[in-house]
């Protein structure tokens, strides 16, 4: 059970680091205004900023309109509403990200009427989400009634007081949901690599993976501080960094997935093992696996640190219940790791390698889609080519969006995987045929 002990230590250190950074008086969210007392206040700040964008559109000042939409996103929505909205049903976060991206593209294209319409939709939806997060409107309320309440908030600019109970529920659900959704991807990568090492007879090398996890936690905290110190707009820098890291992770995971798949055949694995006297993998492969774990953790860590810092320092959150939410999510993640690590290890080696290879490839697909979205939010990728016939294809947890910009690189990755799989199967069949022919030839010569 030493492996479980290491996982618990890693998650405990991560928990302590998150809470410590969040409570410290650092400028982790210097670009954001965290003095608000409720999500409704944040929504009204977004509306005020977007009203300035509309004024700029009326004066044909499209650059200023674009800049004000950016300010509304990075100063208020991204640090204060985006994270909590992940706990709402209906894919609210990707929908809002899409609206902000569309408004910026329309402002760049000098399409004043379309940009104004999109901006009004952002204002309405931000108010709607804020009311639900504050517990003013129920999740099961009909959508038209939610929008009517949101419009009333925008018209009257008068917020409803948040009860202590609603504040506690908000704090727990938001903290729990964010860590679970963001941490699960990293955990699956680490668990898959550890399972592979154990099942392939390289248990002693799992320590390098755990070192990669600890390094990822440390780098996450460092990046969170550097982002706020180096970039005037920490949000834009964060999105650029996360998008770039995701694409690097895609390359690493795709390579490892393909390598594991090439060893999924029982005979191929036996030949591979015979070529390794001590069954240990090469030094290069060892560090690559450790690097994959490092990327998986550091990719999400900076975002988690910045989010929890805003959650603690903002007036809406209850610090105690944020901490309880983090602890509950961490405990659940440990449980997932235990099930994955100790039940899957009993499966045949071929099934384990194929399953872990498929899992890492699936995560690579997820990272490609979300990486494009992150770069779009940062303004590095402008424009959104929506595909109306695929409007139902919005599954953020799988990195799926009805946009050509995300689907095209994912399709290329799928085609590359199919081509490599077919090539590997042909190679395995050729090797089996050659071995059979050699065995037959040897038998005849013995006769």
């Amino acid at each position: 059970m030493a492996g479980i002990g290491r996982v618990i230590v890693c998650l405990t250190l991560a928990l302590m680091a998150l809470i410590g950074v969040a409570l410290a008086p650092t400028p982790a969210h210097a670009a954001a205004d965290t003095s608000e007392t409720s999500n409704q206040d944040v929504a009204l700040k977004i509306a005020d900023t977007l009203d300035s964008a509309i004024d700029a559109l009326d004066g044909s000042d499209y650059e200023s309109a674009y800049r004000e939409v950016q300010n509304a996103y990075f100063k208020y929505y991204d640090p204060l509403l985006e994270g909590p909205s992940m706990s709402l049903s209906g894919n609210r976060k990707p929908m809002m990200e899409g609206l902000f991206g569309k408004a910026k593209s329309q402002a760049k294209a000098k399409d004043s009427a379309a940009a104004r319409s999109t901006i009004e939709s952002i204002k309405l939806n931000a108010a709607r989400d804020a009311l639900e997060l504050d517990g003013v409107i129920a999740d099961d309320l009909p959508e038209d009634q939610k929008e009517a309440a949101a419009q009333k908030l925008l018209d009257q600019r008068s917020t409803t007081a948040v009860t202590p109970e609603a504040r506690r529920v908000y704090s727990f659900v938001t903290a729990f949901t964010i860590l679970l959704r963001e941490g699960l991807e990293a955990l699956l990568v680490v668990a898959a690599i550890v399972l592979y090492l154990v099942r392939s007879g390289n248990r002693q090398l799992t320590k390098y993976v755990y070192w990669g996890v600890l390094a990822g936690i440390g780098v996450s905290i460092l990046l969170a501080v550097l982002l706020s110190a180096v970039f005037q707009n920490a949000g834009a820098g964060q999105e650029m960094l996360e998008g770039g890291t995701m694409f690097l992770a895609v390359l690493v995971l795709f390579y490892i997935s393909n390598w594991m798949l090439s060893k999924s055949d029982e005979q191929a694995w036996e030949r591979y093992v015979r070529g390794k006297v001590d069954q240990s993998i090469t030094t290069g492969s060892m560090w690559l696996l450790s690097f994959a774990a490092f990327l998986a953790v550091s990719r999400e860590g900076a975002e988690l640190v910045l989010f929890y810092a805003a959650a603690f320092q903002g007036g809406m959150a209850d610090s105690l219940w944020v901490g309880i939410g983090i602890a509950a999510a961490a405990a659940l993640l440990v449980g997932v790791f235990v099930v994955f690590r100790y039940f899957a290890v009993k499966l045949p080696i071929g099934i384990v390698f194929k399953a872990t290879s498929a899992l890492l490839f699936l995560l690579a697909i997820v990272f490609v889609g979300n990486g494009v979205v992150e770069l779009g939010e940062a303004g590095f990728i402008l424009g959104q080519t929506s595909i109306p016939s695929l409007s139902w294809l919005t599954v953020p947890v799988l990195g799926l969006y009805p946009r050509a910009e995300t689907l095209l690189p994912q399709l290329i990755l799928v085609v590359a995987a199919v081509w490599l799989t077919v090539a590997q199967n042909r190679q395995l069949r050729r090797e089996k045929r050659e071995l059979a022919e050699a065995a037959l030839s040897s038998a005849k010569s013995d006769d």
Side-chain angles (χ1 to χ4, degrees), residues 263-427:
K263 305 296 181 290
S264 62
D265 181 79
E266 296 284 355
Q267 294 183 10
W269 176 249
E270 290 177 2
R271 290 195 299 273
Y272 175 74
V273 169
R274 283 197 299 269
K276 310 285 184 182
V277 177
D278 59 353
Q279 289 188 290
S280 62
I281 59 178
T282 63
T283 302
S285 298
M286 174 188 70
W287 287 112
L288 185 63
L289 295 177
S290 179
F291 185 55
F294 167 80
L295 286 177
V297 174
S298 60
R299 190 184 66 82
E300 301 292 350
E303 181 178 1
L304 286 171
V305 172
L306 291 174
F307 165 70
Y308 284 127
F312 273 111
Q313 295 172 9
M316 176 57 195
D318 183 308
S319 299
L320 173 63
W321 285 91
V322 169
I324 293 174
I326 295 174
L332 184 56
L333 289 174
V334 171
V336 172
F337 181 89
V338 171
V339 172
F340 196 99
R341 161 69 175 82
Y342 286 94
F343 285 87
V345 76
K346 299 178 182 179
L347 296 173
I349 194 169
I351 295 178
V352 169
F353 284 10
K354 288 177 181 177
T356 51
S357 173
L359 175 60
L360 293 179
F361 174 72
L362 177 61
L363 289 172
I365 293 290
V366 173
F367 291 175
V368 166
N370 288 332
V372 171
V373 171
E374 297 286 357
L375 294 178
E377 292 172 4
F380 185 78
I381 298 177
L382 292 178
Q384 292 186 22
T385 309
S386 299
I387 305 176
S389 60
L390 297 178
S391 59
W392 52 271
L393 189 64
T394 303
V395 190
V397 70
L398 296 178
L400 297 177
Y401 304 88
R403 311 176 192 172
E405 291 81 3
T406 59
L407 292 176
L408 183 58
Q410 287 175 326
L411 180 60
I412 293 174
L413 203 59
V414 170
V415 171
V418 171
W419 182 79
L420 287 173
T421 300
V422 171
Q424 286 176 355
N425 287 336
R426 288 178 176 174
Q427 177 66 23

Side-chain angles (χ1 to χ4, degrees), residues 205-249:
L205 298 179
T206 57
K207 61 183 179 182
Y208 294 102
V209 177
Y210 296 123
W211 288 351
V213 171
L214 290 175
I217 294 172
V219 169
S220 296
I221 298 171
L222 178 62
L223 287 177
V225 175
L226 289 178
L227 282 171
S228 59
V230 176
F231 294 98
Q232 181 180 3
N233 193 332
Q238 178 187 342
E239 306 292 359
M240 286 286 292
L241 181 64
E242 289 183 2
T245 305
M246 282 186 183
F247 279 101
L248 179 58

Side-chain angles (χ1 to χ4, degrees), residues 183-200:
L184 188 60
E185 290 181 4
L187 184 78
L188 289 176
V189 172
V190 174
I193 294 173
V194 169
L195 177 61
Y196 161 74
L197 289 174
V198 172
R199 195 66 182 87
S200 62

Side-chain angles (χ1 to χ4, degrees), residues 80-259:
L80 300 175
L81 272 185
E82 182 179 78
S85 69
M86 293 176 66
S87 63
L88 300 177
S89 60
N91 290 322
R92 302 299 299 175
K93 176 180 177 291
M95 185 272 291
M96 289 295 290
E97 290 172 342
L99 287 175
F100 273 105
K102 182 184 293 185
K104 289 187 289 186
S105 297
Q106 292 166 341
K108 281 289 187 182
K110 300 183 178 181
D111 190 342
S112 181
R116 173 188 286 270
S117 176
T118 303
I119 288 173
E120 291 292 348
S121 181
I122 294 174
K123 291 165 55 179
L124 185 66
N125 280 283
R128 170 226 183 270
D129 290 352
L131 288 169
E132 188 172 340
L133 287 169
D134 285 348
V136 178
I137 59 177
D139 175 66
D140 57 357
L141 194 69
E143 194 61 34
D144 59 340
Q145 294 184 33
K146 290 182 179 181
E147 293 183 357
Q151 190 61 56
K152 181 179 179 180
L153 172 63
L154 294 173
D155 292 340
Q156 298 183 356
R157 300 295 170 117
S158 177
T159 62
T160 301
V162 182
T163 65
E165 180 181 359
R167 197 179 300 274
R168 288 193 293 269
V169 171
Y170 159 83
S171 301
F172 175 82
V173 172
T174 301
F176 178 84
T177 303
I178 296 299
L179 181 55
L180 184 63
R181 292 182 60 168
E182 299 298 313
L184 188 60
E185 290 181 4
L187 184 78
L188 289 176
V189 172
V190 174
I193 294 173
V194 169
L195 177 61
Y196 161 74
L197 289 174
V198 172
R199 195 66 182 87
S200 62
N202 293 281
R203 187 188 301 270
Q204 74 281 4
L205 298 179
T206 57
K207 61 183 179 182
Y208 294 102
V209 177
Y210 296 123
W211 288 351
V213 171
L214 290 175
I217 294 172
V219 169
S220 296
I221 298 171
L222 178 62
L223 287 177
V225 175
L226 289 178
L227 282 171
S228 59
V230 176
F231 294 98
Q232 181 180 3
N233 193 332
Q238 178 187 342
E239 306 292 359
M240 286 286 292
L241 181 64
E242 289 183 2
T245 305
M246 282 186 183
F247 279 101
L248 179 58
V250 167
L251 296 177
V252 174
L253 292 181
F254 186 79
Y255 175 83
I256 294 175
S257 172
N258 180 64
W259 190 84

